[in-house]
Amino acid sequence: MKLLTKLPLLALLAVMSFSCTTDSLNDSAEDIQLTLNTPESKAIEVEILNLINDHRLSLGLSPLVDMTLVKSVAYSHTDYMVDNNVVSHDNFFKRSSFLKQKAGAKTVSENVAYGYTSAESVVKAWLKSEGHKKNIEGDYTNFDISAEENTEGKWYYTNIFIKK
């Protein structure tokens, strides 16, 4: 019986030990500034933004406005995922801190994905996931996305939402 009372504590400790990022909330936004790039928007990216706004409008929510600085930050993360062959939220606190400092964001969230070959498929997948759907339908003002294809033809996506 003693084991059953300690099991929730052990489970909590295990979850905390396997966090997807090791960054602290005090990461410097200056670190990310040096690697920002804003590539020209791809058709798949424009289509994803339009599908997200169409979904929001169908629910009576305000459409979100794309933002070059948000796209640059999303691109830096997508490039990181492609280079490391990983889908992650690594360094999210750096991206969030940077956008709070440089874009005046009050809140920041992101959706990431891998492997989807069309705008419709990635947006449908995000809408089937409670956490991703919450971001898409959330109280935000701006967003942007980066979609990059690796050398094997697999797509990686970073969609960042901010509220100013």
Side-chain angles (χ1 to χ4, degrees), residues 47-60:
E47 192 174 351
I48 290 168
L49 297 178
N50 288 336
L51 287 169
I52 289 172
N53 270 337
D54 289 347
H55 175 77
R56 289 178 59 87
L57 288 168
S58 76
L59 299 175

Side-chain angles (χ1 to χ4, degrees), residues 65-138:
V65 178
D66 60 326
M67 187 176 192
T68 303
L69 185 58
V70 174
K71 180 172 186 58
S72 297
V73 173
Y75 175 76
S76 73
H77 185 59
T78 304
D79 194 43
Y80 166 86
M81 292 192 301
V82 168
D83 286 348
N84 292 283
N85 197 31
V86 64
V87 179
S88 75
H89 293 285
D90 290 354
N91 305 309
F92 173 75
F93 293 115
K94 285 184 182 182
R95 292 188 294 285
S96 177
S97 176
F98 180 84
L99 289 168
K100 287 175 181 176
Q101 290 177 21
K102 304 295 184 183
K106 292 183 174 111
T107 57
V108 179
S109 69
E110 73 180 14
N111 290 344
V112 296
Y114 163 80
Y116 297 94
T117 58
S118 70
E120 296 88 2
S121 64
V122 72
V123 172
K124 282 181 183 179
W126 281 335
L127 290 173
K128 288 180 182 176
S129 163
E130 186 178 328
H132 295 103
K133 183 178 180 180
K134 183 179 175 185
N135 289 340
I136 289 171
E137 297 175 357

Side-chain angles (χ1 to χ4, degrees), residues 2-12:
K2 287 184 180 182
L3 179 62
L4 287 177
T5 59
K6 293 181 182 180
L7 194 56
L9 180 60
L10 289 173
L12 179 61

Side-chain angles (χ1 to χ4, degrees), residues 131-148:
H132 295 103
K133 183 178 180 180
K134 183 179 175 185
N135 289 340
I136 289 171
E137 297 175 357
D139 183 20
Y140 298 103
T141 55
N142 301 85
F143 72 155
D144 223 311
I145 189 158
S146 172
E148 297 297 324

